[in-house]
Amino acid sequence: MTEATVALLRGAGLLSGEPDDLYREWVRWTLASGLTPEQVVGRAREEGVTAATFAPLAGRTVWRGPDERPYVRVDDARRARELVRLTELLNGGRPSQTEARRDRNRWSYGGLFGLNRGDAGTAVKRGALVATPEGTMMAAAGPRALRAVPNPVDWFAARGGTTWGELYLVNGSHDDPAEVLRTSVESGKRPPGSGAPSLARLLRHERVHSEQWARLGYARFIWEYVIRHDPRKPCDHPLEREAGLADGGYRC
């Protein structure tokens, strides 16, 4: 089916030259999303996919879940948004439809709760970062600078982690944050502290929170999540209920 779809793309004038392995993988995952080969041709037009689209991912570290879905490690925060978009696309997603969300949450890519100068940001200093199939980011903080001083992420992430805009922060400080992310991705299991049934379902839950941040805006999201409703009672919290209590690991 993959090669037949590649031939259709070539015949439609959307592919010239020999596609690389990542292009073929994009075809496979897009077919797996339920599209027919003819619809994949339409998706290529919609998303502007060419043989060179996935070139920025060449040589980058790719971790794969048990289902072989690719997660791309982000080792240069300045390119995080580009890599996140390509990871979503590679997994058969439609980043052109989610760009508006990333635009509204653009503060996620810089500042206290976002990315900063090539690491995972002030709140996740010396951390590790990975782009997920949901078109969002997952980060784990590095070790504390001083053992007596809490890592800022310990103040701003609770239970199994917390989403700030486009960035899902795994709770806690870690001597090897990249290993925490890699282990979670490759096992498909929830990260430390989370009660979610699987990483995939947790990321789906957290992606809804990203949509809420975009819809409500920074100040109103904090008001609705922390002040108007009690975050200690997730089963009664409208934002948690919207995100899917079971996906988030809440047992009500």
Side-chain angles (χ1 to χ4, degrees):
M1 184 71 77
T2 297
E3 292 307 315
T5 304
V6 168
L8 277 178
L9 289 157
R10 196 185 304 280
L14 298 173
L15 177 64
S16 60
E18 185 63 22
D20 59 17
D21 289 342
L22 289 174
Y23 184 96
R24 284 189 162 85
E25 184 169 7
W26 166 74
V27 172
R28 290 198 303 272
W29 286 120
T30 307
L31 287 167
S33 72
L35 271 62
T36 65
E38 291 77 13
Q39 289 170 328
V40 173
V41 172
R43 180 65 61 82
R45 288 196 180 96
E46 179 184 88
E47 300 293 340
V49 180
T50 70
T53 292
F54 300 103
L57 300 183
R60 296 191 176 275
T61 298
V62 177
W63 295 321
R64 294 186 180 275
D67 58 359
E68 293 299 315
R69 284 198 175 273
Y71 294 66
V72 177
R73 183 172 179 186
V74 180
D75 54 9
D76 182 354
R78 293 166 297 184
R79 301 189 68 181
R81 182 164 176 168
E82 174 192 14
L83 298 177
V84 167
R85 185 185 185 282
L86 287 174
T87 302
E88 181 180 15
L89 181 63
L90 181 60
N91 278 276
R94 302 175 69 186
S96 65
Q97 303 298 305
T98 53
E99 277 297 279
R101 188 196 74 217
R102 281 185 283 274
D103 283 341
R104 296 188 185 101
N105 290 334
R106 57 186 174 275
W107 53 269
S108 306
Y109 297 94
L112 180 61
F113 299 114
L115 313 181
N116 184 25
R117 296 186 181 179
D119 57 33
T122 304
V124 215
K125 204 69 173 177
R126 295 184 296 165
L129 187 68
V130 67
T132 81
E134 294 289 345
T136 56
M137 300 172 285
M138 179 167 66
R144 298 179 181 183
L146 298 172
R147 293 202 174 272
V149 179
N151 192 316
V153 76
D154 295 326
W155 303 333
F156 299 113
R159 296 170 68 103
T162 303
T163 286
W164 292 85
E166 297 292 300
L167 184 68
Y168 166 64
L169 304 179
V170 175
N171 195 29
S173 305
H174 307 279
D175 290 337
D176 191 345
E179 183 64 15
V180 170
L181 297 182
R182 185 192 67 79
T183 299
S184 186
V185 168
E186 293 184 351
S187 69
K189 297 179 180 179
R190 62 201 182 202
S194 171
S198 68
L199 177 62
R201 289 182 64 179
L202 174 63
L203 291 175
R204 182 170 66 187
H205 174 93
E206 301 300 339
R207 186 254 302 155
V208 177
H209 283 320
S210 293
E211 294 168 355
Q212 293 166 347
W213 277 101
R215 183 177 76 236
L216 297 173
Y218 193 96
R220 187 180 170 196
F221 180 92
I222 294 174
W223 167 264
E224 293 285 343
Y225 196 91
V226 180
I227 300 174
R228 185 177 180 187
H229 304 283
D230 189 347
R232 296 170 299 180
K233 299 178 179 179
C235 295
D236 299 324
H237 202 296
L239 296 181
E240 289 295 352
R241 293 175 69 88
E242 180 187 1
L245 295 171
D247 283 349
Y250 300 112
R251 296 170 176 82
C252 302

